Amino acid sequence: MNRLDAREAITRAHHAEWARVVASLTRRFGDLDIAEEAAAEAFAKAVERWPADGVPPNPGAWLTTTANHSAIDRIRREHKRTDKHREAMMLTDDTPPEPLGAIDDDRLRLIFTCCHPALAMEARIALTLRMVGGLTVPEIARGFLVQESAMARRITRAKGKIAAAGIPYRVPAAKDLPARVTGVLAVLYLVFNEGYLATGSDADPVRADLTAEAIRLTRLIRALLPDDGEVAGLLALMLLIEGRRPARVSAQGELVALGDQDRELWNTALIDEGHRLVRERLASGIAPGRYQLLAAVNAVHTDARDADDTDWGQVVALYDQLVRQDPSPIVALNRAIAVAEVDGPDAALPIIDRLDGALHGYHAFHASRAELLRRLGRRDEALAAYDLAIALAGNSAERAHLSRRRDELA
């Protein structure tokens, strides 16, 4: 196992420790590159030693200590002729820790720090997902629907801009949080999505560690910014989706579509909490933002006793509002799926076909198109669309579901 594979393996098992180690090293050495590489060294050593020696009683402390030594070794190599005194000070650093400021959670502090307004929004999100979220470049690229090489360049450019502009990695003050919260919410939403339905073929279809952490951090942000409607909307959205997780994958490891899920398996406590948040936002009388509208869509789905009771007209109306705020191909695709339930597949298919250029590499586009072609009786075209969706699907549960649907048609 090479060093990158080793680090990825350990970060999956000890996801929370990864963020704490990077946060600790970034504060101490003031250099995110050093922090990231030293953390990678520590995780690689853990993979080499822990299988033989056993996992230490405090894995986080072991990783932090090992990473600190790796960082110091790197600084020593790079500054061999100078900084001897500085190295010694770092080894026996008695400097009291800096105050936590508005945020007292290591991972959330680092997310807010990385989401610096001097960086373009997409660069902030990509860099934070890589540095803090523990996602791989391929996972981030799939979330943005771009090539891995393009995403790698985007992250590298963001690091370069930070270095060139001398952007400090420090805890933002309370007054700075609202200016950064949009990027932070986008990061947490993408982390949640990766956990809810993983994009990697070698990952578990559902990663509860990621969804739980995204929800935990969003709750912390809501405590910091209780009047922010989009924070409440994102939390509601996550809760309503997470509440359906127990019914999403069958015992045979196949993805179960929303309409086929056993609703008795849903987590009603999470869903009820999500509904309360949605009602709160509606009662505020303030025009809803993107996450609030998405939460409202999911509230409609989870309010129905079964799939046949779903108020698809209301879903289309909510997507009509959402598409004015976020005219992205993904939103247009989801709206078209709802249109098919209201006006029929013949009305929705032309809408979906117009998205081919933007979404040709996205498996859900081909899967949605295959379902509509199936309903229209266009068997050969549906089979071809299923084949494309299966080839592009990211995980085993989706491939199993799509393969079964295709085989039934064939």
Side-chain angles (χ1 to χ4, degrees):
M1 180 180 288
N2 62 37
R3 180 168 296 164
L4 179 59
D5 291 338
R7 192 199 65 191
E8 296 300 343
I10 291 295
T11 52
R12 288 191 185 278
H14 299 277
H15 194 262
E17 280 83 352
W18 167 257
R20 284 194 284 271
V21 170
V22 173
S24 174
L25 268 64
T26 301
R27 288 197 304 272
R28 188 167 196 180
F29 298 103
D31 189 312
L32 188 61
D33 284 332
I34 288 178
E36 185 194 18
E37 291 196 16
E41 291 271 359
F43 282 99
K45 288 177 182 176
V47 167
E48 293 170 3
R49 297 182 186 178
W50 290 3
D53 302 341
V55 177
N58 189 336
W62 190 100
L63 290 165
T64 300
T65 300
T66 305
N68 268 285
H69 291 162
S70 295
I72 292 167
D73 288 343
R74 179 179 173 181
I75 292 171
R76 183 180 292 117
R77 289 193 300 269
E78 292 179 356
H79 305 285
K80 191 178 296 183
R81 292 186 300 272
T82 59
D83 289 347
K84 294 295 183 180
H85 176 68
R86 185 180 176 188
E87 291 166 18
M89 289 296 292
M90 282 189 287
L91 282 166
T92 57
D93 188 4
D94 295 324
T95 305
E98 60 186 64
L100 294 178
I103 304 169
D104 63 359
D105 180 88
D106 271 347
R107 175 170 290 176
L108 190 57
R109 292 171 69 217
L110 192 54
I111 290 174
F112 266 102
T113 299
C114 288
C115 286
H116 196 285
L119 298 175
M121 183 60 72
E122 286 193 348
R124 293 185 222 174
I125 295 168
L127 181 64
T128 310
L129 287 170
R130 184 75 186 101
M131 299 296 102
V132 187
L135 271 61
T136 65
V137 172
E139 286 170 342
I140 299 169
R142 286 191 290 267
F144 279 88
L145 299 180
V146 300
Q147 295 294 319
E148 292 177 25
S149 57
M151 181 53 63
R153 289 194 297 272
R154 187 178 297 176
I155 293 172
T156 300
R157 285 196 299 270
K159 289 182 180 179
K161 181 166 185 177
I162 287 170
I167 295 173
Y169 274 88
R170 60 171 177 250
V171 181
K175 64 182 177 62
D176 297 324
L177 300 185
R180 303 191 188 191
V181 73
T182 299
V184 172
L185 295 183
V187 166
L188 295 178
Y189 184 41
L190 287 172
V191 170
F192 179 86
N193 283 345
E194 181 62 28
Y196 182 64
L197 193 59
T199 57
S201 58
D202 58 345
D204 291 335
V206 175
R207 293 186 57 193
D209 61 322
L210 290 184
T211 57
E213 184 67 356
I215 289 171
R216 183 185 74 83
L217 293 173
T218 307
R219 288 189 188 279
L220 290 178
I221 298 175
R222 178 155 165 74
L224 289 167
L225 301 170
D227 297 325
D228 191 305
E230 282 293 79
V231 175
L234 180 58
L235 179 57
L237 174 61
M238 290 178 176
L239 293 172
L240 292 168
I241 295 175
E242 179 72 359
R244 305 198 302 265
R245 179 168 59 83
R248 288 227 47 218
V249 179
S250 71
Q252 293 73 38
E254 179 183 329
L255 183 71
V256 181
L258 176 59
D260 298 324
Q261 289 176 14
D262 180 356
R263 300 185 178 214
E264 294 295 323
L265 298 176
W266 287 359
N267 185 323
T268 55
L270 292 180
I271 290 172
D272 288 346
E273 184 182 356
H275 282 188
R276 286 196 299 272
L277 287 169
V278 170
R279 287 194 298 270
E280 267 182 38
R281 296 313 307 162
L282 289 174
S284 73
I286 301 172
R290 175 173 177 254
Y291 296 119
Q292 294 167 77
L293 289 170
L294 286 171
V297 168
N298 279 271
V300 174
H301 284 302
T302 51
D303 193 45
R305 289 175 299 177
D306 55 51
D308 292 337
D309 285 338
T310 303
D311 187 346
W312 286 104
Q314 189 177 358
V315 173
V316 172
L318 288 166
Y319 273 119
D320 286 341
Q321 293 185 62
L322 183 58
V323 79
R324 289 193 288 270
Q325 295 188 23
D326 179 14
S328 68
I330 298 292
V331 172
L333 175 64
N334 289 328
R335 179 186 176 277
I337 294 168
V339 167
E341 300 300 323
V342 175
D343 299 324
D346 52 343
L349 186 60
I351 301 173
I352 287 183
D353 283 344
R354 288 196 291 270
L355 301 172
D356 189 18
L359 297 179
H360 189 76
Y362 183 42
H363 75 281
F365 164 76
H366 297 287
S368 302
R369 190 167 179 274
E371 290 295 321
L372 295 185
L373 291 166
R374 178 195 191 107
R375 290 168 60 181
L376 290 168
R378 293 161 61 173
R379 176 180 174 278
D380 291 343
E381 293 173 87
L383 289 173
Y386 277 125
D387 286 339
L388 283 169
I390 292 165
L392 293 167
N395 65 57
S396 57
E398 287 181 295
R399 287 195 299 272
H401 169 72
L402 293 168
S403 297
R404 180 178 60 78
R405 295 290 288 171
R406 186 198 185 285
D407 292 346
E408 289 172 349
L409 185 60

